[in-house]
Amino acid sequence: MKIVVIYHSQTGFTKRYAQWIAEAAGADCFAWSEAKKKNLGAYEAIIFGGWACAGSIRKLGWFKRNIDKWADKKLIAFCVGGSPMDLPKIEPALKQNFKESELKKVSVFYCPGGFNYEKMSVSSKLMMKMFVKMMKAKKGKTERDQEMIKMISSSYDISDRKYIEPILECLKK
């Protein structure tokens, strides 16, 4: 099967996952900026990865606009975010990015990445600082809130190759 992995990455986590998937699947791998100029008709499977920002997946609109054009292909989307895999809010947040009809055509996955403040855009850094400040000011913080504050107050990396396994399994089906 001829496979392509396309990614949009701000700080490198999504790119890392895309490269891991491409390597494991024997796929071509392109940054979104390059891939959107290519004819992807020869590929039998198209995998798109974007990073999470305030509940949405960056550059997902491009992928979604092409779903009907790629109806004869296996379509997979993955999102990389800073939250651990075990957060119950991840699945609903991930699925809110797709209409029900799109979810019938696309398999969707989440991969935990992390934060790299050194590579973030100024606006992303500012947004995160405001979020941390808001979390610290919250009354009645839970233990989970305290953990999150500690985690997102500085750069961290929770990415792991094991999180691509469900994507690779989906490709085999």
Side-chain angles (χ1 to χ4, degrees):
M1 179 184 311
K2 191 164 176 162
I3 305 164
V4 64
V5 181
I6 299 159
Y7 66 90
H8 178 61
S9 187
Q10 177 180 230
T11 61
F13 294 105
T14 308
K15 180 180 181 179
R16 179 186 299 156
Y17 274 109
Q19 290 172 332
W20 286 343
I21 294 164
E23 178 185 298
D28 292 333
C29 187
F30 303 111
W32 168 81
S33 57
E34 185 181 350
K36 67 181 185 169
K37 300 172 191 170
K38 294 188 174 292
N39 177 356
L40 304 174
Y43 292 99
E44 297 164 86
I46 299 174
I47 303 170
F48 174 79
W51 54 281
C53 181
S56 66
I57 303 170
R58 303 307 256 175
K59 304 301 179 194
L60 183 65
W62 168 82
F63 179 79
K64 288 173 56 169
R65 282 190 298 277
N66 288 288
I67 288 174
D68 289 336
K69 183 170 87 175
W70 298 332
D72 62 332
K73 302 177 186 320
K74 178 175 277 287
L75 300 177
I76 297 172
F78 70 95
C79 172
V80 178
S83 298
M85 193 71 157
D86 64 350
L87 272 187
K89 295 178 183 178
I90 288 179
E91 181 114 4
L94 194 57
K95 298 216 170 169
Q96 79 176 2
N97 285 275
F98 294 89
K99 294 177 189 163
E100 207 169 306
S101 60
E102 294 166 336
L103 286 170
K104 291 177 182 168
K105 301 171 187 174
V106 180
S107 299
V108 183
F109 299 90
Y110 177 76
C111 300
F115 281 96
N116 186 333
Y117 283 101
E118 294 74 30
K119 291 185 178 180
M120 273 186 192
S121 68
V122 173
S123 60
S124 291
K125 280 184 203 178
L126 182 61
M127 182 179 73
M128 287 310 301
K129 283 185 182 210
M130 288 172 33
F131 181 69
V132 170
K133 188 175 182 177
M134 180 188 80
M135 288 292 293
K136 286 180 176 179
K138 181 180 174 184
K139 300 224 186 292
K141 289 185 274 298
T142 65
E143 188 175 320
R144 181 69 113 169
D145 291 338
Q146 297 285 15
E147 287 174 30
M148 181 179 281
I149 291 166
K150 183 179 177 188
M151 195 171 181
I152 64 175
S153 292
S154 61
S155 295
Y156 64 93
D157 182 351
I158 55 173
S159 59
D160 192 309
R161 279 183 182 267
K162 70 183 179 186
Y163 297 117
I164 69 168
E165 290 305 319
I167 296 169
L168 298 175
E169 285 301 314
C170 180
L171 274 175
K172 293 177 188 174
K173 291 180 185 172

